[in-house]
Amino acid sequence: MVRRRHFLKLPPGGALLVYSLDGEPLLQTPAGEVQVPLRFFTSDEAAIVEAAVSRIFPSDDTGPGAKECGVTLYIDRQLAGPYGRDRYRYTKEPFEAGSAEQGYQGKSTPREIYRTNLKSLAGLASLSEAEQDNRLRAIENTAFFRLLRQHTLEGMFCDPMHGGNRDCLGWQLIGFPGPYMSWANDIDRHYGETHRVKSQSISQILNRKVVPWEELEP
Amino acid sequence: MTNLAAVDVVIIGGGWSGMLMAKELAAKSSSRIVVLERGKPRNPKEYIEGMDELDYALRYRMMQDVAKETVTFRNEVKQKALPIRQFGSFLPGDGVGGAGEHWNGMTPRFLPDVFEMHKTTVEKYGKKRLPAGSTVQDWGITYKEIEPYYLKAEQLLGISGLAGNPMTGPRSGPFPTPPLKQTYFGKLFTDASLALGYHPYPAPSANLSQSYRNPDGVIRPACQYCGFCERFGCMVGAKAQPTNTLLPVLQKRSNVTITTSAQVRRIVTKDGVATGVVYVSNGKEFFQPAARVVLASWTLNNTRLLLLSGIGNANTGRNLTHQVMGAGATLFFDRPLNRYMGSGSSNMTVSDFDGDNFDHSQVDFIRGAYISSPAYGARPIANFGAVPGDVKATWGSEWKKAAVAAYDRTARLGSSGEHIPYSSNFMDLDPTYTDILGDPLLRLTLDWNENEMKIHNFISSKIETIAKRMPVKSYTMSPALKRYDVMSYKSTHLQGGTIMGSDPSSSVVDPRGRHWQVRNLWVLGASTFPQNPSGNPTLTVLAQTLMAASAWPDR
Ligand SMILES: Cc1cc2nc3c(=O)[nH]c(=O)nc-3n(C[C@H](O)[C@H](O)[C@H](O)COP(=O)(O)OP(=O)(O)OC[C@H]3O[C@@H](n4cnc5c(N)ncnc54)[C@H](O)[C@@H]3O)c2cc1C
Ligand code: SF4
């Protein structure tokens, strides 16, 4: 089925590097607004997700947040890929309700969970931050919110090859260096002192493209 | 079905136990040996590309494909078991090397009395101290008997450690390599434990402290403390893995073949004798005739294959145990810990409250746990977000600020406790759910009982005492143990199902792993452990495999 093209709209300036990782064209409107092609979300859905994850992990005086790190695009790519269609779950029938100890037994795939639940957040993007917080607080004990929060953390701190943690901004924020090859000379030094290096992705360290799982199993 | 040429030995499973058995048997004779592994070959040179938390630690890229096969679970018989649709509580391995490719490398020996837990408990405290419904029984071997094989296994892997821990069993030889270096957090834990009069020791480690050449001539380099250890393959080969420790030797043997993508469905028997195995490879079915069969497919599949094959006795499936892992504390420090550095086994352990290392006459439970200071490398998706107890928010600016500040100033004290068996915890075949080939899944019926909850409470109080001695700003204790759940990771140390013993009426295999009824069938791995000691099982699995190989009858 051919999908009408949908975009995530971003304010002018910055924010280009990770989006071009896909090799997909970035469209710039006359006003300088950047439009990033989406793989799963519609433009409206992406705007809701962008609003929600920006409240979960805000950009504030502590440092960059979900917006700068590309969390919405991370989630879009995960949902478009094997994770989104439940490739990593046992999905045989019958689906039956179980006890809490038996874990998630629902039939819905992550794609379906987002599609359904985003409907109930319609209009979120146009609200004020305080109103957005109220809407989110009303659902904060739901399974969907827990999933959204988990995906926000993934998009903040995954290797940039997955589309989040743009320019390693998430790692830099918390002082995680990424996959450095050796700490053998540091492990028993710097006791109680901060030891920080520039955060780098696996591709930067190896100086070659590393293919994430979602691209191997479309 | 294609009939293949007969071989002398067919080994089911290409993990630590199966590959070690192949190596030992191939060295002993010119027997033709085939190892059947359901997963793919591995290229450890590519492990460097796998330093990716999302794909490997969260999506389990190296592990069993749950979409094809899982197990079902219920806490008790009156419930309906439902499939574990996403692994969580434990993480089964897959592919050449099995779970040994992405383990942590913690390699303690079991405490000496573990092997005779029934005898020693009854002698010391009386029979009435064995909890109601428990089915504790002795292994049919003693620590003294297995000790030389422990030493041999340690030399094979080059285990790094420090001898002299008065809380562990006697050693007939030194650790092959000195202990790993300690992190700042490990030092703080050590200082506090020493001040309390405990005995902190570095965890024995299969991640090498220095380059090592083993008795087979295999050389491995030192650990780099890269922090991508548990759930990842080691990019430099410092962590002992079947592919870097056993495979180089096996590849030189012309009498050993490792067949991958070979999913064994049945062990075939005729008149009480195993005649070979049926496996499926790329949609085609094969019969591999063999004079002897070795089952080495880890706890769950060892039990399942016996049940699917209609082999065994009334004991098959019983004594299912896991490990009591939840007792712990999250500590918040003033100073940074640089905890992105670390290794799967660069932790300190205190065994003073493990096993029967302390007197149980004044407490109302048996056995115990070891306490440790894990320093695995705090990968951020799983570790970011902890905040001190006075911050109530779990999202938004307030939470973010506190979590960013706490991220490198937080660490966890943990523990690993014994799980004794009960008649209410067991495995059988599920009546409803099947794998991708249509074979019934294994069904786990498993719950914690009072003894585990009491160990948990007791160890929590000891952990709290240690936490208070450390320079912490605040700490949060983990919640009390409730029902067994399939979501939170505990360990991949499930045990039982094909237990060993010296009495055929109460065990599945004899003390050398040989099946009591089908005498040309051997079962290896932790499925043979009658109960679950606190210690990580793999060194004992290796020692037991060496023991079985040395007792391997010529004819
Ligand atoms: C994340 C993690 C951390 C761990 N850390 C530690 C640790 O620090 N210390 C420790 O002692 N242990 C640890 N373990 C456990 C350790 O990995 C296992 O004890 C060990 O690998 C068991 O070896 P095995 O040969 O019995 O089984 P496995 O390594 O599981 O090998 C079994 C093999 O059999 C294959 N197989 C299964 N069914 C079939 C079939 N039907 N047909 C053909 N092949 C089949 C599987 O694909 C697998 O390759 C850890 C495990 C995990 C997952
Ligand atoms: S921490 Fe050490 S043993 Fe573990 S993967 Fe890194 S280098 Fe290998």
Side-chain angles (χ1 to χ4, degrees), chain A residues 56 58 60 63 78 87 90 92 94 96 102 105 140 149 162 182-184 191-193 195-196 213, chain B residues 49 52 55 59 65 73 80 83 85 181-182 224 335 338 340 394-397 400 408 433-434 486:
Chain A
I56 292 174
D60 54 19
Q78 284 292 311
R87 168 67 188 82
Y90 178 85
K92 276 202 165 196
E96 285 181 28
Q102 289 174 312
Q105 293 292 334
E140 71 180 351
R149 182 184 180 278
H162 296 287
S182 179
W183 301 112
Y191 276 8
E193 307 296 332
H195 181 67
R196 296 285 178 266
W213 210 9
Chain B
E49 294 196 350
D52 171 26
D55 276 355
R59 304 263 191 266
D65 186 346
F73 164 80
K80 178 174 181 192
R85 294 192 181 272
K181 294 178 186 173
Q182 279 309 316
Q224 302 302 308
R335 307 201 64 92
N338 298 319
Y340 54 83
T394 56
W395 56 277
S397 266
K400 176 192 167 191
D408 194 37
Y433 294 94
T434 61
V486 300

Side-chain angles (χ1 to χ4, degrees), chain B residues 267-276 287 291 309-312 515-521:
Chain B
I267 299 166
V268 182
T269 56
K270 191 162 182 269
D271 304 328
V273 176
T275 56
F287 178 61
S309 306
I311 296 177
H515 196 273
W516 281 118
Q517 280 76 35
V518 181
R519 295 299 282 166
N520 66 335
L521 168 66

Side-chain angles (χ1 to χ4, degrees), chain A residues 86-106:
Chain A
D86 252 348
R87 168 67 188 82
Y88 308 130
R89 212 161 70 94
Y90 178 85
T91 52
K92 276 202 165 196
E93 309 263 356
F95 284 92
E96 285 181 28
S99 67
E101 289 81 9
Q102 289 174 312
Y104 175 61
Q105 293 292 334

Side-chain angles (χ1 to χ4, degrees), chain B residues 12-18 36-39 63 91 93-100 102-107 230-231 262-264 296-298 301 305 489 492-493 524-526 536-539 541:
Chain B
I12 306 165
W16 270 125
S17 58
L36 298 176
E37 166 54 48
R38 67 176 170 187
M63 297 165 194
L91 301 169
D94 188 72
V96 172
H102 49 72
W103 64 324
N104 261 336
M106 269 182 255
T107 40
E230 178 179 41
R231 307 187 182 194
Q263 169 84 33
V264 176
S297 59
W298 190 61
N301 270 319
L305 276 172
Y489 185 68
T492 305
H493 307 161
L524 301 174
N536 316 53
T538 308
L539 191 75
V541 168

Side-chain angles (χ1 to χ4, degrees), chain A residues 146-197:
Chain A
R146 279 195 293 276
L147 194 67
L148 196 58
R149 182 184 180 278
Q150 169 64 23
H151 288 167
T152 306
L153 289 178
E154 292 172 9
M156 283 298 301
F157 301 123
C158 64
D159 190 283
M161 69 180 158
H162 296 287
N165 186 23
R166 184 168 65 82
D167 287 346
C168 301
L169 281 176
W171 288 350
Q172 212 66 54
L173 171 71
I174 60 172
F176 184 75
Y180 267 64
M181 297 295 119
S182 179
W183 301 112
N185 294 325
D186 296 290
I187 181 85
D188 57 353
R189 293 174 54 208
H190 324 292
Y191 276 8
E193 307 296 332
T194 299
H195 181 67
R196 296 285 178 266
V197 298

Side-chain angles (χ1 to χ4, degrees), chain A residues 2 36 46 69 109 148 194-195:
Chain A
V2 183
V36 190
C69 288
T109 64
L148 196 58
T194 299
H195 181 67

Side-chain angles (χ1 to χ4, degrees), chain A residues 52-60 62 133 136-137 140 145 149 152, chain B residues 384 387 391 393-404:
Chain A
V53 299
S54 302
R55 294 316 298 152
I56 292 174
F57 213 112
S59 316
D60 54 19
T62 311
D133 285 351
L136 293 174
R137 216 166 283 128
E140 71 180 351
F145 186 83
R149 182 184 180 278
T152 306
Chain B
F384 181 87
V387 288
V391 180
T394 56
W395 56 277
S397 266
E398 183 200 354
W399 164 77
K400 176 192 167 191
K401 188 173 183 188
V404 168

Side-chain angles (χ1 to χ4, degrees), chain B residues 498-520:
Chain B
T498 76
I499 60 174
M500 63 155 97
S502 51
D503 179 355
S505 72
S506 59
S507 53
V508 176
V509 298
D510 75 15
R512 297 295 178 272
R514 197 168 178 181
H515 196 273
W516 281 118
Q517 280 76 35
V518 181
R519 295 299 282 166
N520 66 335

